[in-house]
Amino acid sequence: MTGHVGGRAVRAAGERGGDVRFQLTDDQRALRSGVRELLARRFGREALRAAVERPGLDRALWRELGTAGFFALRLPETAGGVGLGLPEAVLMFEEAGRALLPGPLVATHLAAGNVPGAAEGETVVAAADGGGLLEWRAAADVVLGDAVDAVPLRSVDPLTPLHRVPASDTPDPVAVLLTAAEQLGTATRACELAVQHARTRQQFGQPIGAFQAVKHLCAELLARVEVARAAVYAAAVTADPADIAAARLLADDAAVRGARDCLQVHGGMGFTWEADVHLLLKRAWVRARRAGGGAESEELLARELLSGAGR
Amino acid sequence: MDLADTPEDAEFRARLREWLGKVLPTLPPKPSPDDWPGRRAHDLGWQRTLYDAGYADVHWAAAPTVRLIFLEETERAGAPYVGANFVGLLHAGPTIAAEGSAGQRARWLPPILRGEEVWCQGFSEPDAGSDLASLRTRAWRDGDDYVVSGSKIWTSHAEVADWCELLVRTDPTAAKHRGITWLAMRMDAPGVTVRPLRTLAGSAEFAEVFLDEVRVPVAHRVGDENDGWRVTMVTLSFERGTAFVGEVVACRRVLGELAREARRNGRWDDPALRRRLGLLDAEFRALWRLTQWNVSEASAGGVPGVGGSVFKLRYSHARQELYDTAADVLGDEALDLDRPWVLDRLSSLSYTIAAGTSQIQRNIVAERILGLPKGR
Ligand SMILES: Cc1cc2nc3c(=O)[nH]c(=O)nc-3n(C[C@H](O)[C@H](O)[C@H](O)COP(=O)(O)OP(=O)(O)OC[C@H]3O[C@@H](n4cnc5c(N)ncnc54)[C@H](O)[C@@H]3O)c2cc1C
């Protein structure tokens, strides 16, 4: 009799129905499509290419992002913010990564509430992120962290100006997570571009996507995106440093290798300045070096294994 | 998005944990890999224990989140693996539950849940592996029976199985996917011969099964005649989508043990090894999250989607990487079969082959999820 208590709990739980919890809520879906529409309208392909030709920060767009709540998203409503949490921020940054939106988005988002005007998109904030690099120093109104001896370098990414700075203390895990979300978005775009090209480009009388060598590159692209997505969303829910470290490693891999494979699927076109593929790869490279790169995340997880925590 | 237990889930978890703490120390030791009758008895005994405690049907009847809690807690506590019950509990049973008639469900499901009958899977044939739909084992109607002749191969647990989920060709003139039927066959029926095959790990995990005019009642057909391919897809989606999920938790346990062993033998001082372990931890954490995501998506007892192929693809490779890393930790001892993980490393070699090879999973992901054209 007592032995069946467990079984009853099982059925009771089963009857609850609609037990869908680790999925986007309707509000989260709406937020995501709102951001996606805004970015498609304000930073579509033409705007992206225009930005490549005329580097610099679009202040009007920055203010629009501010109005849309991009920076104030996690500030409490009492402080004039939107009052949402990390999962919503992650969805927003994923869209930013998908659109390859340029600018010190993470730094300004984190400065909202501390630096006047950051939340509204009036002040552009750049920050040394603990690693050895500083993005967007010249365009920023406020630069946080040790940037006195910043040395400019000729950035590999046409849309991210870079300075070398002294590496500092341990990076902010939220910055790492939001970067992972951007990487996830870029990886998703790489997968979409690769699949679209594989469907339309014809060789030997058929779409190249019918060849297994190409097909399997696309399948691996998607698998990396889906695994990274689960890791990034989970880290947004738990905000656990080890989950964030895992999310970062998988998202970096999905974005960097995804862009590489996308390039391969594009053939000679992939090696051109004109195709967008290189922009994906270069941004992914820049983000993968944020906060000093992935090695520290791997070490953190290794330490975690030893301590037996998180299991 | 939420990952926290509801109060009901937390209560279920606590009760299960307490029960495991009490019952696991009372279980008999695990029999040796070569002792088939012993292994069967051990695996079925555990299922019976679950049944008596009311946990037998968690895989079938519980809400997805509850099922994950069950897998998480049993693995963490080091409870026995499903073993010989794999096919019955994790894919033949769920297929019968989804596609069988009321009578078939009443006949076959309770003995699976009570740990009384073992099932095996007779799908692959010598000339039909990846191209499963080209299978040639024939079945003719004769009165109320099918008469089945042909041969199956790689049939895991065939030696100790009572039943076989069997794919046969009932219409050799139809297109290859259209002439297949899904039957439940008794393994002790006259005309069934089992010849064990030794695996590279040394034990006989699978077998060849020869079928010589075996009579299978028409009443043992699940789904319609010649509609077996559709039923097969249901079986495979359970096999790929949900059957391996619990192993992810087990892999994370092994990873922790590896870290401690590396610390003990000094390998921990090598940053390349530490980082390899850290990266693997990231992978298994993510696979567990992907599972939670997929399972949240499917409703309780529903048929998992092709997304299972993404999981299967990544998991198979991660598992092989895990045991290759174990070998890195062990050094020379990785060549000693008496060391832990060495046999596991050998078994892991099958993961990219069994239940559909990695190449086939990539085809499925590309064609069925991404919509890329089929090759000519
Ligand atoms: C441990 C173990 C247990 C098993 N248990 C069972 C069981 O209980 N019941 C059962 O029915 N079966 C079982 N199998 C069989 C398993 O499902 C098959 O081995 C598997 O589907 C591959 O078929 P095959 O061995 O004929 O290889 P093949 O199909 O001959 O494949 C050989 C190689 O060719 C590649 N290949 C084939 N076709 C394609 C293609 N279209 N595109 C790209 N590459 C291709 C494969 O990926 C593989 O690398 C088991 C296998 C193993 C290893």
Side-chain angles (χ1 to χ4, degrees):
Chain A
M1 178 58 210
T2 47
H4 286 83
V5 170
R8 264 207 302 280
V10 167
R11 269 178 292 276
E15 282 152 15
R16 216 162 55 229
D19 198 29
V20 177
R21 294 200 278 121
F22 187 36
Q23 290 282 306
L24 302 194
T25 63
D26 290 343
D27 285 349
Q28 287 167 342
R29 269 176 226 285
L31 173 86
R32 183 178 61 181
S33 52
V35 178
R36 188 173 296 182
E37 275 159 31
L38 169 74
L39 293 179
R41 186 161 39 77
R42 283 296 276 109
F43 199 73
R45 175 147 202 277
E46 268 171 41
L48 171 69
R49 298 310 305 209
V52 172
E53 297 319 317
R54 272 178 290 98
L57 207 59
D58 179 348
R59 289 288 186 147
L61 174 56
W62 204 258
R63 276 189 293 274
E64 254 184 81
L65 292 172
T67 310
F70 205 96
F71 305 116
L73 190 83
R74 290 184 309 123
L75 287 184
E77 282 171 277
T78 49
V82 188
L84 291 173
L86 266 186
E88 287 77 18
V90 153
L91 292 173
M92 223 171 50
F93 274 81
E94 180 186 345
E95 290 307 314
R98 199 162 172 273
L100 285 183
L101 189 63
L105 296 161
V106 174
T108 305
H109 178 93
L110 290 174
N114 293 325
V115 175
E120 295 77 21
E122 297 296 336
T123 311
V124 176
V125 183
D129 64 3
L133 294 167
L134 170 63
E135 300 176 17
W136 289 97
R137 179 183 193 226
D141 306 307
V142 175
V143 178
L144 303 176
D146 180 6
V148 191
D149 296 323
V151 182
L153 51 86
R154 213 155 65 80
S155 175
V156 67
D157 177 15
L159 287 172
T160 314
L162 290 173
H163 281 69
R164 224 189 302 272
V165 290
S168 62
D169 48 333
T170 37
D172 177 357
V174 175
V176 174
L177 176 62
L178 296 180
T179 295
E182 290 184 289
Q183 295 285 57
L184 172 63
T186 297
T188 307
R189 172 114 169 227
C191 184
E192 286 165 1
L193 282 182
V195 170
Q196 195 184 7
H197 190 72
R199 277 201 194 128
T200 45
R201 167 73 175 165
Q202 302 248 345
Q203 284 294 281
F204 298 96
Q206 58 181 342
I208 55 166
F211 300 116
Q212 273 195 349
V214 172
K215 189 177 279 184
H216 288 189
L217 283 178
C218 294
E220 291 288 348
L221 263 159
L222 181 77
R224 285 195 294 264
V225 168
E226 291 306 313
V227 174
R229 181 183 314 285
V232 170
Y233 289 1
V237 172
T238 67
D240 175 73
D243 281 339
I244 291 176
R248 186 244 161 103
L249 292 169
L250 289 152
D252 281 348
D253 185 54
V256 172
R257 283 173 64 193
R260 292 284 282 260
D261 288 351
C262 178
L263 194 154
Q264 184 66 22
V265 168
H266 277 75
M269 177 63 82
F271 192 66
T272 64
W273 186 264
E274 182 200 338
D276 294 340
V277 191
H278 70 113
L279 300 175
L280 299 175
L281 178 59
K282 291 166 177 174
R283 189 74 64 84
W285 273 342
V286 167
R287 295 196 203 105
R289 287 305 310 162
R290 283 198 194 148
E296 183 40 43
S297 298
E298 289 169 349
E299 291 280 8
L300 183 150
L301 289 169
R303 284 194 298 276
E304 192 77 9
L305 279 175
L306 259 196
S307 70
R311 292 198 307 116
Chain B
M1 288 190 279
D2 190 7
L3 286 162
D5 287 351
T6 62
E8 295 97 314
D9 290 350
E11 195 196 319
F12 175 78
R13 188 190 290 278
R15 200 150 9 88
L16 175 60
R17 196 177 284 184
E18 192 196 324
W19 177 75
L20 287 167
K22 267 191 281 185
V23 77
L24 292 183
T26 69
L27 293 185
K30 215 178 142 200
S32 100
D34 302 317
D35 175 11
W36 268 111
R39 282 173 62 180
R40 176 186 155 113
H42 185 80
D43 298 345
L44 292 185
W46 171 239
Q47 180 62 28
R48 180 70 206 197
T49 307
L50 288 172
Y51 180 83
D52 289 339
Y55 292 115
D57 62 350
V58 169
H59 295 293
W60 302 356
T65 46
V66 171
R67 203 183 147 225
L68 287 191
I69 291 170
F70 178 82
L71 290 169
E72 222 176 349
E73 292 299 324
T74 46
E75 282 295 345
R76 263 188 198 165
Y81 180 61
V82 280
N85 249 331
F86 184 87
V87 172
L89 200 60
L90 299 183
H91 58 86
T95 303
I96 292 163
E99 298 290 332
S101 66
Q104 289 173 336
R105 292 199 299 269
R107 165 62 190 89
W108 287 316
L109 300 186
I112 294 176
L113 293 179
R114 288 195 300 259
E116 288 163 4
E117 290 182 343
V118 167
W119 285 67
C120 64
Q121 179 188 36
F123 283 15
S124 305
E125 296 181 5
D127 291 328
S130 298
D131 186 10
L132 181 60
S134 68
L135 61 93
R136 290 208 298 249
T137 292
R138 280 283 283 126
W140 296 265
R141 275 291 272 273
D142 182 28
D144 290 336
D145 289 339
Y146 287 105
V147 180
V148 182
S149 284
S151 65
K152 295 289 171 178
I153 196 166
W154 321 126
T155 315
S156 305
H157 301 118
E159 280 178 273
V160 290
D162 304 287
W163 292 92
C164 177
E165 47 170 8
L166 185 74
L167 296 184
V168 295
R169 184 157 304 281
T170 33
D171 183 355
T173 62
K176 66 179 181 179
H177 295 92
R178 300 242 170 78
I180 294 171
T181 299
W182 199 106
L183 299 176
M185 176 184 77
R186 277 209 69 87
M187 288 298 283
D188 60 3
V192 178
T193 309
V194 174
R195 196 171 72 87
L197 294 165
R198 199 165 176 217
T199 74
L200 57 69
S203 58
E205 293 296 319
F206 49 30
E208 278 178 288
V209 178
F210 300 97
L211 306 170
D212 182 17
E213 303 200 346
V214 181
R215 299 191 80 89
V216 178
V218 173
H220 289 183
R221 184 186 73 213
V222 173
D224 290 338
E225 186 170 292
N226 298 327
D227 193 29
W229 188 250
R230 190 185 57 77
V231 184
T232 304
M233 289 301 113
V234 173
T235 310
L236 294 183
S237 67
F238 283 115
E239 186 177 8
R240 288 165 189 167
T242 49
F244 296 106
V245 161
E247 297 181 19
V248 172
V249 185
C251 286
R252 292 198 61 202
R253 197 182 61 220
V254 171
L255 206 48
E257 291 165 8
L258 281 182
R260 285 187 287 280
E261 171 63 17
R263 184 57 172 268
R264 198 195 58 77
N265 74 10
R267 287 288 290 123
W268 188 254
D269 296 336
D270 175 359
L273 175 78
R274 285 200 307 270
R275 291 183 55 185
R276 192 173 179 187
L277 288 168
L279 192 56
L280 260 174
D281 185 49
E283 177 78 16
F284 283 113
R285 273 171 193 267
L287 283 170
W288 181 248
R289 298 313 191 183
L290 179 65
T291 299
Q292 290 177 311
W293 182 265
N294 287 346
V295 158
S296 291
E297 210 169 25
S299 58
V303 179
V306 281
S309 286
V310 169
F311 174 82
K312 159 80 166 82
L313 183 58
R314 283 290 285 239
Y315 170 62
S316 309
H317 289 271
R319 188 178 174 103
Q320 291 181 348
E321 169 63 11
L322 172 70
Y323 287 107
D324 283 343
T325 308
D328 194 355
V329 170
L330 289 174
D332 290 346
E333 297 190 4
L335 303 180
D336 178 354
L337 285 170
D338 287 330
R339 290 288 304 171
W341 306 314
V342 177
L343 269 179
D344 297 312
R345 185 185 190 201
L346 291 176
S347 333
S348 79
L349 297 171
S350 73
Y351 273 71
T352 46
I353 298 168
T357 69
S358 291
Q359 287 72 33
I360 294 303
Q361 305 303 337
R362 290 191 192 100
N363 286 347
I364 292 171
V365 170
E367 290 166 11
R368 311 243 308 266
I369 303 180
L370 296 175
L372 290 172
K374 280 188 181 289
R376 279 185 214 147

